[in-house]
Amino acid sequence: MHSLLPLPLSHVWVYLQTQPLLGLTATLCVWEAANFIDRKAGRSALSNPTVLSIIIMAALLLLTRTSYQTYFTGAVYIHFLLGPATVALAVPMYANWPAIRENFLAIFVSLSAGSFVAAGSAMVIAHALGAPRDVVISLGPKSVTTPIAMGISQNLGGIPSLTAVFVMVTAMFGTLVCSGMFRLTRVADWRARGLAAGTVAHGLATARMLTLNETAGAFGGLAIGLNGVITSLALPLLVSIFGF
């Protein structure tokens, strides 16, 4: 496969393309580079390492004309760790269980409102702008973690692959703007920050919150789970109410 890299690097890249280690090595290197940039930028909202990694990795694949299938043969090992990483969110949740139990009513009410608004507003705006029904429904679960969102979309007549794109875009955008929005609205409580980030932008925003504060990460993990349940119950109702 022809590459736009200089000749010596091109030879190395051609060799790596035949090995499963390509995706794994590239992902780890890009992640370390993104973390380095994030540290130098003072953990700025715009230097989020997850978002930077996606951008850099996509640019690298395009530059070297490497197919996603070739990349993923190695990246699948990182992908496998998403499950254990998600389960690991239970650790900070357990550490913050007294605060979660004490404030559960407030958490449930605010998270339910956030779930309804996140799903309903997207669908109403898309419908008002003339989007077809399947696209409108595909937008509904955009703030839910990908596996649940795709399942909801498919069951309601949406396009699961399109929903996955909406979920990723929502996560990236939410991760970039959440810190600024918290400062703008003067939300200083880490519990509220984590809950809001997890409700609106699920995993990516929660991961960012976890790097900043363990309590925020715990409440973000709680929001991911509850938002998935609430949205799966609320979305069919919203579709029926608005006649989508």
Side-chain angles (χ1 to χ4, degrees):
M1 185 178 296
H2 181 66
S3 172
L4 300 179
L5 291 173
L7 190 57
L9 289 178
S10 178
H11 288 165
V12 173
W13 192 263
V14 168
Y15 169 74
L16 284 176
Q17 282 180 322
T18 66
Q19 307 297 319
L21 289 177
L22 168 67
L24 178 61
T25 303
T27 301
L28 294 176
C29 290
V30 167
W31 173 252
E32 287 300 320
N35 266 306
F36 176 79
I37 295 171
D38 188 39
R39 288 194 300 270
K40 291 298 182 180
R43 303 293 182 184
S44 167
L46 296 178
S47 66
N48 184 284
T50 305
V51 177
L52 284 178
S53 295
I54 294 172
I55 295 172
I56 295 172
M57 197 70 245
L60 184 60
L61 294 179
L62 289 173
L63 177 66
T64 58
R65 300 179 183 176
T66 303
S67 69
Y68 180 78
Q69 288 75 17
T70 300
Y71 160 74
F72 195 69
T73 56
V76 67
Y77 301 111
I78 299 292
H79 184 266
F80 168 78
L81 294 175
L82 285 176
T86 302
V87 174
L89 287 173
V91 175
M93 285 175 59
Y94 179 79
N96 287 271
W97 178 244
I100 293 173
R101 182 175 55 188
E102 181 182 351
N103 298 281
F104 188 77
L105 180 60
I107 291 170
F108 181 76
V109 172
S110 58
L111 197 147
S112 297
S115 299
F116 271 89
V117 171
S121 61
M123 291 193 297
V124 169
I125 293 172
H127 180 68
L129 293 175
R133 181 181 184 277
D134 55 356
V135 174
V136 172
I137 293 177
S138 299
L139 265 169
K142 64 176 178 55
S143 292
V144 182
T145 188
T146 306
I148 299 177
M150 293 178 69
I152 295 172
S153 177
Q154 184 173 17
N155 289 335
L156 292 177
I159 307 171
S161 57
L162 187 59
T163 297
V165 174
F166 290 146
V167 168
M168 181 56 66
V169 172
T170 299
M172 292 176 64
F173 181 76
T175 303
L176 289 174
V177 304
C178 65
S179 296
M181 289 299 297
F182 293 147
R183 289 193 296 269
L184 182 65
T185 56
R186 298 181 181 179
V187 176
D189 192 315
W190 284 108
R191 295 170 298 178
R193 288 187 173 194
L195 196 67
T199 302
V200 176
H202 40 86
L204 288 186
T206 297
R208 181 60 167 179
M209 289 293 104
L210 192 58
T211 64
L212 300 176
N213 183 274
E214 184 178 292
T215 297
F219 276 77
L222 177 66
I224 292 173
L226 288 180
N227 188 35
V229 174
I230 293 172
T231 302
S232 65
L233 297 175
L235 209 56
L237 180 62
L238 289 173
V239 170
S240 176
I241 290 175
F242 291 109
F244 297 135

